[in-house]
Amino acid sequence: MREALVTPNGDRIRWVELPGAEPARLYLHGLGASSPVYFAAAAAHPLLAGRRSLLLDLLGFGISDRPADFDYTLEAHADAVAAAVATAGLNRVEVVGHSMGGAIAIVLAHRHPELVARLLLVDANLDPIAPSRQRIGSSGIAGYTEAEFLAGGREEVAERVGPFWWSTMRLAGPEGLYRSAAHLARGSEPTMRELLLGLDLPRTFLHPAADGDPEGVDGLRAAGVRVVAVPDCGHNIMLDNPEGFASAAAAALRAD
């Protein structure tokens, strides 16, 4: 495990690092998740192994610090990740981001273009989502006010998301989980989709084949984003179909 100071108050991001050749790969998890849990098998897969790999937990999640005074916007997350990457002595990393981690990866590439060589987005959030307590994920959490979430909403969410997701979500700081979800549902300005379309670097978007083409697929392809369907999986592509994910990811990370 390695760590980096990423805020003026001394808060630390931590990651599990696998040795290997550079350019390095940076793995960013989704809301309520943890990169060592969700990405360890993928990073060690024969098709993807051999690269220096940082399985990083975002501030507020997993093994990283959980400050209650951090605002947890997508931009703040991206800047904290950039500080960690710089501390690791890296630039031009290949970023693999799942779900919220993909949204943060897009903002990272926009705000810190010198750090990002390519993006592999794994069913990432590209657009704002209307809050609704009837759903799980960011929109469900964003359906509460922060006070409501801290006063009992967190326990209601735990019942809805189920034991698998809760196994890592329970590690998140309550404030970090709520604010990250609320800002993810609100989206960046411009939106993550708009930022992605304007980036000048190799970009691939993986999605579950069962979901059909993602919204706005023609616009993504017209902007040079490779859109790849992965069979036999749901949202957690790398966990549901490890072989399919490794194959699609390896091809994407080789593409120009």
Side-chain angles (χ1 to χ4, degrees), residues 1-7 10-15 54 56-57 59 64-65 80-89:
M1 183 183 74
R2 302 194 179 182
E3 64 180 15
L5 291 169
V6 296
T7 72
D11 302 304
R12 297 171 185 264
I13 272 181
R14 298 182 180 89
W15 64 92
L54 282 65
L56 182 144
D57 278 345
L59 205 62
S64 290
D65 285 351
V81 170
V85 171
T87 298

Side-chain angles (χ1 to χ4, degrees), residues 2 15-27 43 48-55 84-86 88-96 108 114-120 253:
R2 302 194 179 182
W15 64 92
V16 171
E17 184 164 326
L18 306 179
E22 296 188 13
R25 289 183 183 146
L26 172 67
Y27 290 84
L48 296 172
R51 289 290 187 89
R52 183 180 176 188
S53 298
L54 282 65
L55 281 63
V85 171
L90 294 171
N91 54 42
R92 307 300 293 165
V93 295
E94 300 176 342
V95 185
V96 181
L108 174 68
E114 74 284 356
L115 294 181
V116 181
R118 66 173 67 233
L119 289 178
L120 174 58
L253 294 168

